[in-house]
Every structure is written in structure tokens, then in C-alpha cells.
Amino acid sequence: MIVLVPTALFPLPFIVLNTCSGSGDMFSEKPAAWHWAEFATSFLWAGCFAIPILLAITESIEVGAMAVSLAGTLLICVLRGVWLYYKHKESSDGFSM
């Protein structure tokens, strides 16, 4: 369950940055805090993989539980990738609204 915290929070820095930046123009310069948002997102995303591994190394959880946790994280990655693929495919069609 502790892995769910960074999994749920990793998009939060970019959401806050996009909400607070105030610029709706996609061709404008990146906000000043862009690198901090990248850093925080990367830190939280690495925690999704590191926490189960560290817990298994310290024998707080069994190796099978680590494998299930990592498989769940990879499943989230695959589902997000498939969603982005279909979203891009739909937007590049001439028939989308």
C-alpha cells in the first residue's frame, strides 16, 4: 500500500505547474519552475520502483509481494502508453471532432 502514495502523487507537480502558470499558449516559454516539476515527478516515479525493491531487500516484504507491486506499476505504465497511443491516433485522424 505504501507504493500507492508515489504512484498517486507523481503527476501532481506538473498538474500544479500547469494550473499555476497562467499561460494557455503552448508556444510560450516554459515556466520558471519547469525543472523543479520534472525533478519532483522523476523522484516520485522512481519511488514507485524503489520502494518495493528496498522493502524486499530489507526483508520487510517477500519477493513475491515485490514482484506483484512492480507488475502493477508496469501495468499502469502499459495502460497509460496504450491510452496515449489511441489518443494520438484519434487526434491524427481526419475524422475526429
Side-chain angles (χ1 to χ4, degrees), residues 20-34:
C20 297
S21 66
S23 174
D25 185 16
M26 64 184 233
F27 298 111
S28 64
E29 291 185 22
K30 291 182 181 177
W34 185 265

Side-chain angles (χ1 to χ4, degrees), residues 3 5-13 37-51:
V3 168
V5 173
T7 304
L9 292 179
F10 86 87
L12 190 64
E38 286 178 337
F39 172 76
T41 301
S42 301
F43 179 79
L44 290 168
W45 185 241
C48 296
F49 294 99
I51 290 172

Side-chain angles (χ1 to χ4, degrees), residues 65-89:
M66 176 196 69
V68 169
S69 179
L70 292 176
T73 303
L74 290 176
L75 180 65
I76 290 171
C77 292
V78 169
L79 290 176
R80 175 73 175 170
V82 169
W83 178 74
L84 287 173
Y85 170 76
Y86 282 115
K87 183 179 175 184
H88 175 70
K89 184 178 175 183

